[in-house]
Amino acid sequence: MKRTKAPHARKSAGNAPARFKVGDRVRVKDLPNMFYSRTQMYARGVSGTIAACTYQDLIPEDEAFNQEGRLEQYYIVRFRQKDLWEEYPSEKDTLQTEFPDRWLEPA
Amino acid sequence: MSQRSELRQQYEIIGSLQPAIHTPQNWNYEIPSALYRAYMHPPHDVGGQRDVPVHYEEKEEEQWELNTYVTCEVLAWRGVWNAEERRRRADNDLGYTLYLGMPYYGRWIWAAARMLVDKNHISLTELLEKIAEVKSRYEAH
Amino acid sequence: MQTTHQHAGGGHEHKAAPTVEEITDFEVLEIAVRELAIEHGLFTAEDHRRFTEWAESIGPAAGSRLVAKAWTDPAFKARLLADGTAACKEIGIDWAEPTGFGTPSDYMNFRVLEDTPTLHHVIVCTLCSCYPRPLLGMSPEWYRSTNYRRRLVRWPREVLAEFGLILPPEVEIRVEDSNQKCRFIVLPVRPSGTENWTEEQLAAIVTRDCMIGVALPRPGRTADVHPVHKARHPVHSSPSMRAAE
Ligand SMILES: [Fe+2]
């Protein structure tokens, strides 16, 4: 068999340091869309709170094209539903989803 | 039309009828920025789009669907692609018509075929001849 | 392609063994791609067989056991919430299977979302269908549908009500959009009326839907009931279409 390397064993161009910690307020960047993204449009430009620092991995924009990039810290971010959808009826409800470091900026 | 089940099927079809506005697109010298952004939107990013209530169905798995899942995973296990590339090819690169129109695993196997050709593991002619051969093999049974 | 929107409720019955004319376009394409990949040495028939064996061994029973153990063993629950992937090994689920580094699509970042009397979690992947296969098996078709993915993040109370789950306004609903490499299950609140139950009894009421978060466990509720769309050539029904046999 020619290929036996695990996808996660691929070499990367190093690690980027984690810029955020649990409890930090962050805003999701609104970069242009082209070809591929795992940063949902509904979260773009919206602020939330870091709920967890999860793992370091390649970012989807590199991995989806089989490119070696640097590993980045991923975070679970918690949003108020009301911040995502203006007409959302409850103040209480929340939504969590995950982003790599470069998609976030301090809020 | 007497069966309740037929009535329910009619409701399902009626519920999915939507008005369509077709505008001529012969001379696309320029398009508005909003339209460009809509074209660039990744088709797989559907969260928050409106839709109507439906019956949430289970589906018994077809043999070809299990085989497709395994083929796609084993291709990644052996480093031919990775899961993220598979998602990009099967969910974004097809365009809306195929993305919304093809079966779930139909998109997976189509994306695997396209990837094998794109990366020159097989030629398109080889794929087409193989498809024809498999078809005739089963028809000849 | 079959006619639009056939339902099990519509009464079409299970087809018997396939006849040759019935081979579909996707069945042909699947066989073609698999055979070409093997002929070109991209993987072996044995690789395919081994992965198939693993895929057929997974299912929601593992998740049910995990939840039942967390309900009865506080120390295990603490370990599970701290490191889900490691705690799974205690019930015999190794996320590194079947390749040694996990499946290519499920990764090894498993997290448990703990419900409380005032917090309810529900899981979706709006971008595709990310799902904790090693613990729950293959995702149900509705979970992969654009309909569920479109609506759950924005109208969760309406969608949950359609599943028969109506939650009072004082309960916070937290949607987890599983969009990257973490995989999740919901750890529901242990229902009253289950005091002194064994782990096995408890596991029986922890159905797949409870672990996705579209249902709540309760005594007597041991199955998720949905309309079932039958397969034309279900797994194992068609020896000639099985790989490597
Ligand atoms: Fe997904």
Side-chain angles (χ1 to χ4, degrees):
Chain A
M1 197 83 323
K2 292 177 289 197
R3 294 176 198 75
T4 50
K5 66 180 179 179
H8 284 84
R10 275 206 313 275
K11 270 188 300 186
S12 82
N15 291 31
R19 289 182 298 151
F20 306 108
K21 59 182 192 309
V22 172
D24 284 356
R25 291 288 293 170
V26 291
R27 185 170 40 243
V28 181
K29 283 188 200 163
D30 187 13
L31 296 172
N33 272 322
M34 218 168 191
F35 310 142
Y36 195 65
S37 175
R38 293 195 82 81
T39 300
Q40 304 92 323
M41 283 307 289
Y42 71 71
R44 305 277 182 100
V46 182
S47 297
T49 306
I50 303 277
C53 301
T54 50
Y55 49 82
Q56 296 206 335
D57 213 312
L58 294 170
I59 61 163
E61 290 81 358
D62 289 340
E63 200 174 18
F65 294 89
N66 239 310
Q67 290 165 345
E68 290 176 1
R70 57 179 192 173
L71 299 186
E72 283 195 16
Q73 181 66 46
Y74 279 68
Y75 309 90
I76 294 175
V77 178
R78 185 177 305 159
F79 302 95
R80 289 167 68 245
Q81 284 279 32
K82 197 126 194 131
D83 292 338
L84 295 171
W85 323 103
E86 218 179 332
E87 78 292 357
Y88 196 91
S90 151
E91 296 288 335
K92 203 183 251 310
D93 291 356
T94 51
L95 178 146
Q96 296 187 156
T97 189
E98 208 179 354
F99 306 101
D101 199 277
R102 79 176 61 195
W103 274 97
L104 299 176
E105 58 194 8
Chain B
M1 210 46 239
S2 54
Q3 292 284 317
R4 297 301 296 171
S5 58
E6 288 173 27
L7 184 67
R8 189 169 124 180
Q9 193 176 45
Q10 279 301 298
Y11 267 84
E12 292 279 346
I13 296 168
I14 292 163
S16 61
L17 295 178
Q18 291 180 26
I21 302 169
H22 295 284
T23 52
Q25 290 185 306
N26 290 323
W27 322 109
N28 295 327
Y29 301 131
E30 288 181 17
I31 58 171
S33 185
L35 182 58
Y36 175 78
R37 286 203 304 276
Y39 284 159
M40 289 302 117
H41 179 81
H44 71 163
D45 182 11
V46 302
Q49 294 172 4
R50 288 182 189 284
D51 211 333
V52 295
V54 293
H55 291 277
Y56 287 121
E57 285 192 350
E58 304 278 337
K59 183 178 167 307
E60 197 180 27
E61 192 165 51
E62 301 277 353
Q63 182 66 60
W64 76 267
E65 295 176 317
L66 176 63
N67 290 350
T68 293
Y69 164 70
V70 173
T71 291
C72 290
E73 288 291 75
V74 173
L75 282 168
W77 180 11
R78 295 305 174 203
V80 184
W81 63 356
N82 66 61
E84 204 55 42
E85 184 187 345
R86 192 252 304 149
R87 293 186 189 108
R88 187 256 297 175
R89 288 176 174 276
D91 301 339
N92 279 248
D93 294 1
L94 279 73
Y96 280 102
T97 306
L98 295 189
Y99 178 59
L100 297 173
M102 295 243 283
Y104 178 75
Y105 282 117
R107 290 189 278 110
W108 285 50
I109 198 65
W110 189 94
R114 177 67 196 241
M115 179 275 293
L116 293 178
V117 175
D118 279 350
K119 294 188 178 178
N120 293 326
H121 290 296
I122 60 175
S123 69
L124 179 55
T125 315
E126 213 177 346
L127 176 64
L128 300 181
E129 283 171 359
K130 182 61 130 177
I131 289 169
E133 187 269 305
V134 171
K135 235 180 215 165
S136 63
R137 192 195 314 165
Y138 276 80
E139 280 163 6
H141 262 204
Chain C
M1 190 65 203
Q2 297 167 34
T3 48
T4 317
H5 299 300
Q6 288 188 337
H7 290 269
H12 57 121
E13 67 255 8
H14 208 128
K15 295 244 169 70
T19 61
V20 286
E21 309 80 59
E22 281 182 78
I23 189 162
T24 65
D25 295 315
F26 289 115
E27 284 168 336
V28 170
L29 185 56
E30 181 278 312
I31 294 167
V33 169
R34 169 164 42 90
E35 289 185 357
L36 283 169
I38 293 171
E39 286 162 19
H40 284 261
L42 301 175
F43 59 74
T44 65
E46 174 60 14
D47 290 339
H48 202 282
R49 191 203 59 74
R50 265 178 66 194
F51 207 104
T52 301
E53 190 176 85
W54 177 83
E56 293 189 323
S57 75
I58 55 174
S64 308
R65 281 192 291 125
L66 191 80
V67 169
K69 189 172 169 63
W71 278 349
T72 54
D73 181 347
F76 175 73
K77 185 171 117 178
R79 292 194 295 278
L80 181 64
L81 293 173
D83 186 344
T85 319
C88 281
K89 283 191 187 168
E90 297 185 43
I91 64 151
I93 300 298
D94 186 350
W95 282 72
E97 287 183 10
T99 66
F101 57 86
T103 75
S105 295
D106 301 293
Y107 313 103
M108 294 176 65
N109 307 298
F110 170 58
R111 298 176 78 90
V112 171
L113 305 169
E114 186 188 15
D115 282 358
T116 71
T118 57
L119 174 64
H120 177 79
H121 291 89
V122 57
I123 303 166
V124 63
C125 168
T126 55
L127 301 181
C128 40
S129 54
C130 301
Y131 193 73
R133 287 189 189 86
L135 275 174
L136 298 188
M138 299 300 213
S139 56
E141 191 68 17
W142 57 258
Y143 181 88
R144 306 162 176 170
S145 69
T146 43
N147 189 289
Y148 180 77
R149 292 162 46 215
R150 281 171 171 157
R151 296 168 70 220
L152 187 83
V153 285
R154 188 168 175 184
W155 299 281
R157 287 180 184 267
E158 288 82 345
V159 173
L160 290 180
E162 288 162 31
F163 277 95
L165 179 57
I166 295 169
L167 293 165
E170 56 275 19
V171 173
E172 172 186 341
I173 294 181
R174 182 173 294 165
V175 174
E176 185 72 52
D177 186 352
S178 172
N179 69 328
Q180 305 274 8
K181 293 189 172 77
C182 281
R183 296 292 177 266
F184 304 91
I185 69 164
V186 176
L187 172 57
V189 176
R190 178 171 171 172
S192 57
T194 61
E195 300 77 15
N196 307 317
W197 280 27
T198 63
E199 270 184 48
E200 202 179 332
Q201 283 175 298
L202 289 167
I205 62 167
V206 184
T207 63
R208 179 202 65 203
D209 283 6
C210 297
M211 294 180 277
I212 299 174
V214 296
L216 287 180
R218 62 165 196 270
R221 185 189 179 285
T222 56
D224 303 320
V225 180
H226 299 277
V228 179
H229 185 103
K230 290 285 190 185
R232 293 160 58 94
H233 303 149
V235 172
H236 283 293
S237 73
S238 175
S240 69
M241 286 177 193
R242 257 182 100 70
E245 280 188 356

